[in-house]
Amino acid sequence: LKTGEAVVAALETLGHTVTRVFAGPGLDRALRAADIEVAFLALHGRMGEDGRVQGLLELLEIPYTGSGVLASALAMDKPMAKKLFQLHNLATPRGYRVGRADAERALELHGDSGFPCVVKPAKGGSSVGLSVVHDAGALVPAVVQACRFGGEALVERFVKGQEVTVGILGDSVLGSCEVAFPREGFDYEAKYKGGTQYFLPPRLSDTRRVNVESLALAAYRALGCRGYGRVDLLCSETENDVVLEVNTLPGFTPTSLLPKIAARAGLDFPALVQGVLDRATRDESHVAEAAPT
């Protein structure tokens, strides 16, 4: 809702006529009644960011901001995104998926993966349900907790280092920001309830920063993303950089990470909103006419 109100204010400042449509039961009817030209998606997490709303907009033939159906679904499914990163030879922490039915077998599935490890919902946002697990006894409770949010957990190797997020508009990097938080995991509390520090640019050498931004853009492209996005990475103390995830609809208030990055690149919040709107489109498929015989 905060993202939505911030976007509405910016769009109205730019002279656009804006209709608020709340995502929920009856969304298809609400969209038809709104009679809009384009949908600016101010949604986060499941349903809004996982391809379902994008699929509805495709059926209604309404252009929308951000990535298409497949890219949105792939980015939201963190274990699947991880497989695609590996397919494209992009470094990412080793991990595995655990369903709710197998939660009590988590230690058996963990095998020799070692500790500490990170446990989080396989499909989710805002770092809800995230835990850093230091020993075998805490693994099953952490998996059970993560499975509360969607029924599946992702368990992955813990990488100690600087968390860096890279902002992308269109198919170009806007810049990057280091997120330094007061505790071990960048969970919901750390993200939204204070104590976090931001460094723009990140505290990396220029060469390493450029490499991190290139890795982020490669991850964004590997999932087939478009429009805009934000890629989260970890830069380890051993000079290894790994991709964590791609956010296809990142937080979008003037104080959110992507707008912070855009501001340093010279784009104020209304200009960024307009840039995202300008790239609204659909996954249109055309059937070519048969060649003359």
Side-chain angles (χ1 to χ4, degrees), residues 96-119:
Y96 60 93
R97 186 194 301 258
V98 184
R100 182 183 286 117
D102 292 320
E104 297 299 328
R105 296 179 52 237
L107 196 55
E108 175 189 340
L109 296 170
H110 195 71
D112 62 354
S113 294
F115 296 93
C117 63
V118 178
V119 181

Side-chain angles (χ1 to χ4, degrees), residues 21-31 47 53 56:
V21 179
F22 291 92
L27 178 58
D28 58 329
R29 295 188 296 275
L31 285 167
M47 190 181 85
V53 168
L56 174 60

